[in-house]
Amino acid sequence: MKILFYAWTIYDERLDEMPIKPNGGSIAIKNICEHVGRKCEVYLFLGRNKMHYKKLGNINIVDTFHFQDYIDRELDQNECRLRTMLNAFEGIVNEIRPDIINFHGGGELTRRCLMKCIQMNWTYTFTDHLYIGLEKKVPGYDLSVEWEKQVLKMPGIKITTVSSDMKKNILRDYPEIKENDVKVILNGTDFVYEKCDCDLKEQYHLEGKKILLCVGSILERKNQIQLVNAFRKLKEEVRRNLAVIFCGNDKMEGALQTEIKKYHLEKSMIYAGVVPNSDIKKYYSIADGYILPSIVEGLSLTMLEAMVFGLPLIMFHDLEGASDLADEQVVQFIYGKTDQDMADAITQWSDKIWNHEYIRKFANYFTMERVAEDYLEYYKGLQ
């Protein structure tokens, strides 16, 4: 079987032509391509910019440099670029003739390439890694919701989602979509448990404290500032013995750090910045739990990584990946949306004795080997 993956970008340290900071989506897409590529012939079209052919593990990144730029002086630069890459996409499909085209991620170029597949009757599917939907109001995501409307109203759209509640929410918002046209393929991780000796506790002066880890880009959607407010609601004996470490790219221009300083919480709430992949296991090694305060999320890779390390999770009970992880020996759910609701869940997590070995075994389902098999089985059904 020959698969052409489409993505705006991926994260890989070997990909010098496309330097980006790592995030869950760019890592997840690369992992899917790589592990499916271990079982069949995989090509990857990257939309962010033209690429020379490159073999990246089991992924063949296609050459788009040999396609001419679209030039029209009456059109702006972005429109010309979109037309250039759409022509390149069509050319690559005709060159490779894949059995399946699998789109990952959004954007205008994705929409146009999807329409091309429908127009040309090419076999395709669209994998949704983050669904905002019509009910939740997430700051800064109005354009994403408009994009979802355009794509999900395409006739006969074929979709895979990375969590069960994403499928449920899509079918709720777009009842015209047939249930059989939406397939759930749960995310996985290639993360391997490896306890690391390090001096992070000494470095941050956290000896004797329980540590909650919060990993992910600092965004309004990921809602880290509410965690600061919830920390202030904790009873003194819980707060005194707890520390939170935030890891991730700051996309809020220091708003989180400002909030922490405002309430003089610098000794208990620490922003560690962007942590290289080579060091992240050190943070999982010193942590006692993992908290995901996001308003909307797919099935976060960082949650899966935390479970590989046996860390119990704290998350909102209605988050898109919640039902797929609903085991009281793995997750402490936050019921309600207030700061106090989050503080109560943190207290319950702190008071409970967790079986870390049980959580590591629970994580065994979320492997990339299983993910690749699920995609291949799904592709067979599309042919």
Side-chain angles (χ1 to χ4, degrees):
M1 190 184 298
K2 193 184 293 185
I3 312 298
L4 174 63
F5 285 98
Y6 167 103
W8 180 249
T9 185
I10 60 169
Y11 174 76
D12 190 288
E13 292 173 347
R14 299 166 292 177
L15 198 58
D16 300 329
E17 301 94 324
M18 198 168 284
I20 63 166
K21 292 181 179 177
N23 61 66
S26 63
I27 293 170
I29 295 165
K30 194 288 293 285
N31 285 346
I32 292 167
C33 296
E34 166 63 24
H35 283 79
V36 171
R38 295 177 185 181
K39 301 173 183 293
C40 65
E41 197 174 346
V42 158
Y43 297 86
L44 173 61
F45 177 99
L46 292 172
R48 183 179 174 184
N49 49 261
K50 283 186 172 182
M51 299 288 295
H52 290 293
Y53 172 81
K54 183 163 188 161
K55 181 78 169 176
L56 200 67
N58 289 285
I59 306 168
N60 296 286
I61 296 178
V62 298
D63 181 359
T64 47
F65 254 99
H66 68 283
F67 293 97
Q68 289 187 343
D69 289 339
Y70 188 96
I71 298 173
D72 186 332
R73 299 189 186 282
E74 295 184 2
L75 299 175
D76 64 30
Q77 186 177 357
N78 185 58
E79 180 60 29
C80 288
R81 195 200 69 80
L82 284 168
R83 295 188 184 196
T84 296
M85 296 309 289
L86 179 60
N87 288 342
F89 173 76
E90 183 174 5
I92 288 296
V93 174
N94 287 325
E95 285 177 15
I96 294 173
R97 301 200 175 278
D99 298 296
I100 306 288
I101 304 165
N102 190 174
F103 291 86
H104 289 263
E108 175 60 15
L109 181 59
T110 307
R111 187 190 70 80
R112 295 189 189 192
C113 291
L114 278 166
M115 287 299 297
K116 179 62 68 172
C117 287
I118 293 171
Q119 175 191 337
M120 302 298 292
N121 201 29
W122 293 332
T123 305
Y124 76 94
T125 187
F126 165 65
T127 298
D128 199 342
H129 290 265
L130 178 68
Y131 179 66
I132 305 299
L134 302 180
E135 291 194 352
K136 289 188 177 180
K137 301 301 179 185
V138 183
Y141 281 80
D142 290 349
L143 288 177
S144 296
V145 174
E146 288 305 310
W147 184 88
E148 288 173 351
K149 289 178 183 177
Q150 293 177 36
V151 168
L152 296 175
K153 288 182 178 180
M154 288 180 179
I157 184 78
K158 301 292 189 295
I159 309 164
T160 73
T161 66
V162 299
S163 69
S164 299
D165 285 343
M166 283 179 68
K167 173 177 178 174
K168 182 182 74 175
N169 293 345
I170 288 171
L171 294 175
R172 174 201 66 205
D173 290 345
Y174 299 93
E176 64 272 22
I177 297 177
K178 296 177 182 178
E179 184 174 359
N180 289 342
D181 286 340
V182 187
K183 172 70 174 177
V184 178
I185 301 178
L186 299 183
N187 264 347
T189 178
D190 61 355
F191 219 56
V192 176
Y193 174 67
E194 182 185 4
K195 195 81 170 177
C196 299
D197 293 325
C198 64
D199 62 354
L200 288 177
K201 280 192 174 183
E202 293 79 7
Q203 178 183 328
Y204 293 125
H205 308 292
L206 302 179
E207 297 93 334
K209 288 193 174 187
K210 286 187 175 181
I211 297 173
L212 266 181
L213 199 59
C214 184
V215 180
S217 297
I218 310 302
L219 293 169
E220 285 190 78
R221 174 176 65 82
K222 289 187 178 285
N223 196 35
Q224 290 97 338
I225 287 179
Q226 187 179 16
L227 180 50
V228 178
N229 297 328
F231 191 89
R232 295 171 51 230
K233 298 279 186 181
L234 293 168
K235 292 180 180 178
E236 171 60 27
E237 62 268 24
V238 178
R239 192 167 64 244
R240 186 174 60 245
N241 295 306
L242 178 65
V244 179
I245 300 178
F246 299 92
C247 303
N249 184 24
D250 181 8
K251 295 187 176 181
M252 293 182 65
E253 299 180 343
L256 174 66
Q257 300 91 301
T258 299
E259 200 74 5
I260 290 169
K261 288 178 182 177
K262 178 180 176 181
Y263 297 107
H264 310 291
L265 297 172
E266 296 94 327
K267 292 183 179 179
S268 299
M269 306 199 86
I270 296 154
Y271 174 58
V274 177
V275 176
N277 278 6
S278 55
D279 289 340
I280 194 65
K281 288 184 178 182
K282 295 177 183 178
Y283 287 83
Y284 286 117
S285 294
I286 66 166
D288 299 284
Y290 179 91
I291 186 163
L292 186 80
S294 296
I295 301 167
V296 174
E297 198 71 57
L299 188 60
S300 166
L301 286 196
T302 58
M303 287 195 299
L304 305 184
E305 292 172 357
M307 291 193 304
V308 169
F309 270 73
L311 302 183
L313 312 176
I314 304 173
M315 60 192 288
F316 285 109
H317 78 285
D318 61 348
L319 206 60
E320 285 66 25
S323 64
D324 301 307
L325 304 174
D327 186 319
E328 62 182 11
Q329 296 187 68
V330 176
V331 182
Q332 176 63 59
F333 283 124
I334 306 166
Y335 294 98
K337 299 296 181 181
T338 69
D339 300 342
Q340 189 60 58
D341 293 328
M342 187 178 290
D344 290 344
I346 293 171
T347 300
Q348 291 165 342
W349 161 81
S350 181
D351 289 343
K352 185 172 178 177
I353 297 172
W354 297 90
N355 185 332
H356 301 288
E357 186 59 34
Y358 178 91
I359 297 171
R360 281 196 287 270
K361 288 180 180 176
F362 184 89
N364 286 341
Y365 177 77
F366 298 93
T367 65
M368 286 310 305
E369 288 75 17
R370 189 269 308 160
V371 172
E373 290 291 348
D374 285 355
Y375 273 99
L376 287 170
E377 191 64 29
Y378 171 66
Y379 296 152
K380 290 174 186 175
L382 289 177
Q383 291 180 292

